[in-house]
C-alpha cells in the first residue's frame, strides 16, 4: 500500500522480527553493503556496540571478504591475440592482463593473480534498473564507475591517492572451476574466487569486465557492449583493450557475484569467540544449478 513499509526491504523485515539486543528490540544495522542483484553473506549488528566494533574493523581493513563469481565473455583483444589470432576466452584475456603472484609449492598463493586499475565514480542522476545491475535508460547515467588500466611500467605506489584519473584499486583472483557448457551460452564460463583491498563501489564487477575483459555473468551494466555510445567500451577500444561481453541477462535478472564468506578475526564480542577462527559462509545460490550446472556439493572444499 502507498506510504507503508516496503515488503521487499530486508532491513524492514528484520526490524519487525524484534531481533535486536538489549532494550532496543528493533535495532538492526547493516555493517557493510551488497549490490542489490548479487547474493551472499550480509552481516547485521543487533546492538550499537557490535555495529561500532565491526565498523572499526572495516575501517582498519581487518575484515577479510571473499567473493565467488562466474565470469564469461570472449574478446578479440589485440594485446592477447588469442589462439590462432582468433577470439580469446574471457579467462585467457583476464590472465593476460593480470600479474601472477609468487608463492612456493602448490599453495593457493602460487595460483593467485592480481589485477590493478584506476577506478573513478561517475556523477549524475539515478535511473538504475536493479535487474542485471543495468540501466533503465541512459547507460552513461550516474551510478556506474569508470575504469582505466594502469600503464605497465608504472607502479601503483607512484600514483597519488588524489589522482584526478581515479583511485588505484586491486583485486586478487583464483580460478576454481571450469563450468559445464550450456547450449544457451556462446562463451565458456568459469568460477573464480576474488578478494579486494578496499570496499570501493562496483570494484569487483568493473575491474573484471573493463580492466580484465571477463565480465560477470548477467552483469549488463559492465558487460554489455552493444551500445556504441557506451563510454566504458569506447575507452577500452581506443587502447586496443576490449571488454568482454556477457551472453545476456540471467533468467532472474541477477548478477553472478556471490559474497562467499566474511571473516572478522579481530572483532571481540561476548559469546562470539568463534569469530577469531571461523568466517561467516553463504552457500552458493540454489539457482546456480539451473544457470551454470553447479551446486554447493560440487564446490564444497574449494577455496
Amino acid at each position: 500500500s502507498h506510504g507503508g513499509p516496503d515488503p521487499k526491504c530486508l532491513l524492514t523485515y528484520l526490524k519487525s522480527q524484534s531481533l535486536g539486543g538489549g532494550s532496543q528490540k528493533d535495532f538492526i544495522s547493516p555493517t557493510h553493503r551488497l549490490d542489490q542483484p548479487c547474493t551472499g553473506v550480509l552481516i547485521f549488528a543487533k546492538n550499537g556496540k557490535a555495529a561500532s566494533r565491526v565498523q572499526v574493523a572495516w575501517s582498519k581493513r581487518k575484515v577479510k571478504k571473499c567473493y565467488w563469481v562466474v565470469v564469461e565473455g570472449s574478446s578479440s583483444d589485440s594485446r592477447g591475440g588469442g589462439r590462432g589470432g582468433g577470439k580469446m576466452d574471457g579467462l585467457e584475456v583476464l590472465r593476460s592482463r593480470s600479474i601472477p603472484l609468487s608463492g612456493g609449492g602448490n599453495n593457493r598463493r602460487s595460483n593467485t593473480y592480481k589485477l590493478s586499475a584506476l577506478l573513478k565514480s561517475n556523477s549524475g542522476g539515478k535511473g538504475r534498473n536493479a535487474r542485471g545491475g543495468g540501466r533503465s535508460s541512459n547507460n552513461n547515467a550516474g551510478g556506474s564507475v569508470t575504469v582505466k588500466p594502469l600503464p605497465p611500467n608504472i607502479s601503483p605506489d607512484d600514483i597519488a591517492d588524489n589522482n584526478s584519473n581515479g583511485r588505484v584499486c586491486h583485486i586478487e583472483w583464483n580460478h576454481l572451476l571450469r563450468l559445464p557448457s550450456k547450449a544457451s551460452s556462446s562463451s565458456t564460463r568459469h568460477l573464480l574466487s576474488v578478494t579486494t583491498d578496499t570496499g570501493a563501489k562496483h570494484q569487483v564487477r568493473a575491474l573484471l569486465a573493463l580492466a580484465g575483459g571477463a565480465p560477470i555473468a548477467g552483469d549488463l551494466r559492465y558487460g554489455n557492449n552493444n551500445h556504441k555510445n557506451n563510454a566504458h567500451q569506447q575507452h577500452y577500444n581506443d587502447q586496443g583493450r576490449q571488454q568482454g561481453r556477457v551472453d545476456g541477462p540471467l533468467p532472474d535478472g541477477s548478477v553472478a557475484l556471490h559474497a562467499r564468506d566474511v571473516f572478522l578475526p579481530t572483532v571481540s564480542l561476548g559469546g562470539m569467540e568463534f569469530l577469531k577462527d571461523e568466517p561467516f559462509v553463504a552457500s552458493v545460490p540454489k539457482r546456480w544449478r539451473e544457470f551454470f550446472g553447479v551446486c554447493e556439493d560440487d564446490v564444497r572444499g574449494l577455496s
Side-chain angles (χ1 to χ4, degrees), residues 60-127:
K60 293 184 176 180
R61 297 189 181 183
K62 298 295 185 181
V63 179
K64 299 179 181 179
K65 188 175 184 180
C66 177
Y67 298 94
W68 281 11
V69 300
V70 176
V71 298
E72 56 183 37
S74 60
S75 172
S76 53
D77 192 323
S78 63
R79 292 176 176 245
R83 297 192 184 99
K87 288 189 174 183
M88 297 177 69
D89 173 88
L91 183 65
E92 293 178 296
V93 179
L94 179 59
R95 279 201 179 111
S96 73
R97 298 179 182 179
S98 302
I99 299 173
L101 298 178
S102 61
N106 294 319
N107 61 18
R108 178 183 180 276
R109 193 74 173 175
S110 64
N111 298 312
T112 301
Y113 291 80
K114 184 175 183 178
L115 180 67
S116 303
L118 289 165
L119 187 147
K120 185 176 183 180
S121 294
N122 292 331
S123 60
K126 297 182 180 179

Side-chain angles (χ1 to χ4, degrees), residues 142-163:
S144 298
V145 298
T146 300
V147 175
K148 294 183 180 180
L150 293 177
N153 59 339
I154 295 180
S155 166
D157 296 333
D158 296 330
I159 301 176
D161 289 338
N162 60 352
N163 187 284

Side-chain angles (χ1 to χ4, degrees), residues 4 7 9 20 25 27 56 61 92 107 156 166 172 175 179 207 213 221 229-230 253 261 294:
C9 177
K25 295 301 183 182
F27 184 100
V56 167
R61 297 189 181 183
E92 293 178 296
N107 61 18
E172 294 184 6
H175 181 254
L179 299 176
L207 261 66
R221 183 186 293 268
N229 293 326
N230 188 318
D261 61 67
V294 65

